[in-house]
Structures are given as structure tokens and as C-alpha cells.
Amino acid sequence: MKCRHWIDDRGRCLFLLIFGLFLSFSGHGQEWMNPEEALKSNRPDTVYFLDLSNRSLQAVPSYVYQFSHLKELNLSGNHIRKIPTKLNRLDSLKTLILSNNGMAGRKEKANQLYDTYQKSGLAMFGDPNKHPDYFMNKSPMDSARQATDEAIRQVNDAPNSLVPKFGRCRNIRVLDLSECALATLSRSIRKLRNLEGITLKNNLLTSVPGCLASLENLKNINLNFNRVDLTERRFTKMAQRGFKKLERLALAENGMKQLSPGLAALKQLIELTIARNQISFLGFDISQLKQLTSLNLYDNRLTEIDSGIYTLPSLQILDLTYNQIKEVSPKIGQLTKLYFLSLAANRIRVLPEELGNLTQLEALYLDNNYVSQLPASMGQLQHLKILHVQHNQFRHFPKLIIQLTPLEDLDIASNQIAELPLEIARLHNLKLFFLQKNAFDKESEQFRALSKLFVEMRKREVVVNE
């Protein structure tokens, strides 16, 4: 557990949202067609989204070129070795999906290992002495399962030998190479001169590929779930010379302990995600990123908020959940454009009055800290719709909350609150209200009156958990 209580992430979906939507290549509401459907169409010019995934293809089929208005082509789960220049015939083709390329055999092998474990137990391993670490002091089936897990890990962690090459495809704007076990990229990717977005998540990359710095129009890079090391001097040089249009950079879950000073050179960044790493300090001058609107440092090891963060004039989203922060500076009041702020799962005891300056806030997560009172200035947060203060040390209900009439989601659960004012009825916009695990005397007249209020609230379809 990362904090003293389980965290209720209801509503706090920014982390997953960024992961799910950053350079997303599907789910736009479009209608994908398989080749059988597309080839039967009387109007090939109306085929916009073609799904050729998992068909054991080794090249782009020639029939693709008859779909003159094709916008997105899904070639995931195949064995494509080269993307031909001929794709330029399709002027409208902007998005190319090559995820899981060359991975079919690998996944089959992993599945076979798992199936063998399920059916045969220890039979697949032969001599137990070959796996002493797994078999010592464990039941046979537990040992078999763990040895299978290790075998599957080794299969998945082996670099892919199939690294696709690219022709001079001038129309491609978005490229998905996720989950391909890539340890490197082909330099031929530089031929995609107009590429604006690339997702490389779930690969085996240990550095930011240098060939990407040559792509002058590149705006979005997703390197989530790799092994990228940003401490290399090479990255600083790349950042200083290239990436002049880079706006979004995602580096979540790379096992990073340090960041590169070169990040300060990416002055056009508007979104930076460094979630789920092991960063204890930023290590670069973040104050240089004046255009930054979203900063995600979820689940790291920060013990303080870098002073440079307080100087970011455009910041709208700041996620510092799951760190070890003890104090919040009064300078937080300078971030007047913030509409999302999460300080949840830290070690904060006192909040500054300047928090009330953040009048654009719509969501504020303060849960899983050691807070016992809210600053009176928070009554000014008249755009606030979500307030979570569960798992803190409140003994009294913060009455300023009654002033926050736009609230839709209020969580005060797991504190030590003994009484709740009937004025809570003034929160007419409330849809979710959680107050369980407090110190209420449910036999008291005051709580019986509250119970009647809760009945009325439920009639309005408010979810009340008492």
C-alpha cells in the first residue's frame, strides 16, 4: 500500500484519462470495416476506416489502394516489414496503426506456456533442480505457476527482431507502434516528414529514439511503459536541437529515478506526464515551460513541490497524487488557471489560505492526508464540483463547504466528524455524498433529522452513503 488507507479513485480519473486518450488511435465513434465488407462495397470511396488487424499479413495488400478516401488503416497484430511509399496514393490516409506488429508468435508462445501450466502442472519443467529458487518451500503448483510467470516474462522481454521500415509517406500524421517489443526504431522513420504524433507505449526502449528529433512537425510522443533513461547527455542535445514543435510528452511508468535538464528546452510543451516513476526531485528548470497546461506527477517520490511549478502561468491540471509531500507553499495561489488539482495520498497537514485564490477549480482532491481543517478562503471556490477530503483528521465538518453550492461530488468519509449541519441541504447540485466511517451518533435526534434529509436527497437520485 502506498498510503495508510486505500484510496477511493472515484472521479479522479485524470491519470487513466491521459493514458487512455493520449495519442489514442481508436474509439472516435467511426465505423471500422473489415476487408470482406470493404471489398463488397459498391462505393469504395466511402471506406474511411479499414481494419486489417491480426491477419498474418507481411505486406500492405494491394487492394487497399482502391479505397481512395481512406483515413485510418489498422494493420495491428501482423508481420509488416515495410510501409511502402505507394501509400502516398491515398491522400486522405493520416493514421497508421502498427501495434503488436510481429508479436503474434510471441503471444502464442506465452499462452502455450500458461496452458501447459494449467494442464500439466510441473510436467513442463522436468527436473525441479533446474529451478531451485521457484521450488524451495513452495507447493508444486505454486512453484509451477511462478516458473511459468518467469518464462512468460522472458518471452515478453525479448526484443522484437521485426522492426518495420518506412518509405517516404508524406501523408501519415499519426503512427501507432505500441506493444511491439521494440528496443530500437528504424532510422527510416525520418522519411515520415509530416508525422505529428507517435505512440510507442509498452515497448522495450531504453532511450528516446534519436531519429524522432529529425521529425520537424512532431507534436506528440507517447513513451509510456518503457524503460527510458532521460539522464543521458544525448537527450539534452536532442532537446536543444530538435523537437521544436513538441507539445505532448508522456513518460509514465519507465522506472525513472532522475530526469534530464534537457526537458527545460522543450518550451512548446503543453502536456507533460511523468506518472508512476521513482522521481524524488525534478532535476530540470520546469519554470521554462511557460506553455504547460497539464503536469502529471502521479505516483512518484516527491517530498516537496518544486518551486518552479508555482510559476507556470498556463497550468490548468496538476496531479501530485501518491507522493510524499508534506507542505504546500502559499505560492500555490499563483496558479489561478488551475481547474484540476490533486494533492491526494501525501503527508500534508496544513493547507495555505491562498488555496482560495484558485477560483477556477472544478475538482480538488485532498484525501488521504493528515488535514484537520480547510482554509476559510476555500469558500471562494464557486466553480468547485468535486471535493474529496476522505481519510483525513477532521473532527468537525468544515462549514465553508455549505458555501460551495456547485458541488456535485462530496466525500468526507473516514474522518472523525461527530455532527453534520442540516444546512447541507443547500447543496442542491449534489449527486454523490459519502460520509461513512465517521463518529456520528446515529441514535441522536440530530442524526435522525439528517436521515430524513438523506431520504429526500435519495428521492432526487442523490447517492448518499452514510
Side-chain angles (χ1 to χ4, degrees), residues 137-375:
N137 300 320
K138 295 182 176 71
S139 71
M141 288 305 290
D142 282 346
S143 300
R145 178 185 57 76
Q146 291 194 32
T148 303
D149 289 346
E150 173 64 13
I152 291 172
R153 187 189 67 76
Q154 291 178 5
V155 168
N156 290 335
D157 285 1
N160 196 343
S161 59
L162 182 56
V163 180
K165 296 182 179 180
F166 299 88
R168 297 185 183 280
C169 302
R170 62 177 179 271
N171 299 320
I172 301 299
R173 299 292 191 274
V174 178
L175 175 64
D176 184 352
L177 284 168
S178 59
E179 299 183 80
C180 292
L182 295 173
T184 185
L185 288 184
S186 168
R187 291 186 178 183
S188 63
I189 203 168
R190 295 181 293 184
K191 295 179 181 179
L192 306 180
R193 302 301 299 176
N194 293 311
L195 194 67
E196 295 180 0
I198 183 168
T199 184
L200 292 160
K201 64 183 180 181
N202 287 97
N203 279 293
L204 304 175
L205 297 166
T206 57
S207 62
V208 178
C211 52
L212 297 182
S214 302
L215 297 170
E216 296 179 356
N217 294 298
L218 199 59
K219 296 180 180 179
N220 307 320
I221 302 176
N222 187 337
L223 283 161
N224 291 338
F225 305 102
N226 278 276
R227 303 167 185 178
V228 172
D229 179 5
L230 281 188
T231 60
E232 293 183 320
R233 291 183 180 179
R234 190 170 66 95
F235 176 76
T236 298
K237 292 180 180 178
M238 288 166 54
Q240 291 171 343
R241 298 174 183 175
F243 302 124
K244 298 303 181 184
K245 294 184 180 180
L246 192 64
E247 295 180 352
R248 295 174 179 84
L249 177 61
L251 288 161
E253 204 150 326
N254 274 271
M256 294 186 296
K257 295 182 179 180
Q258 289 182 279
L259 299 176
S260 168
L263 285 170
L266 305 178
K267 298 185 187 299
Q268 300 306 311
L269 276 186
I270 59 176
E271 293 181 15
L272 178 59
T273 299
I274 313 176
R276 287 188 169 166
N277 283 287
Q278 301 171 43
I279 306 300
S280 57
F281 63 96
L282 291 189
F284 73 99
D285 186 3
I286 196 170
S287 67
Q288 297 296 312
L289 306 184
K290 301 297 185 185
Q291 307 301 316
L292 205 64
T293 63
S294 176
L295 177 60
N296 189 342
L297 291 164
Y298 179 107
D299 196 1
N300 275 283
R301 299 178 180 177
L302 299 171
T303 56
E304 61 181 8
I305 301 175
D306 189 285
S307 60
I309 292 176
Y310 297 125
T311 69
L312 299 174
S314 303
L315 201 61
Q316 299 175 16
I317 297 170
L318 177 58
D319 195 339
L320 292 164
T321 309
Y322 275 133
N323 278 282
Q324 301 167 29
I325 297 165
K326 295 181 180 179
E327 295 182 6
V328 180
S329 168
K331 292 180 181 178
I332 191 79
Q334 298 173 187
L335 301 177
T336 55
K337 292 188 178 180
L338 277 184
Y339 65 80
F340 178 102
L341 174 61
S342 181
L343 296 167
N346 281 284
R347 301 175 182 178
I348 300 166
R349 293 183 180 277
V350 179
L351 295 165
E353 283 291 332
E354 286 77 6
L355 202 60
N357 295 346
L358 309 182
T359 55
Q360 299 305 308
L361 269 185
E362 296 182 14
L364 177 58
Y365 296 93
L366 300 169
D367 49 283
N368 289 270
N369 279 286
Y370 301 94
V371 177
S372 58
Q373 89 181 61
L374 298 178

Side-chain angles (χ1 to χ4, degrees), residues 449-462 464:
L450 280 172
S451 296
K452 293 180 180 178
L453 173 60
F454 297 155
V455 169
E456 293 303 314
M457 292 173 72
R458 289 183 178 114
K459 288 180 181 178
R460 303 198 315 266
E461 299 186 347
V462 179
V464 180

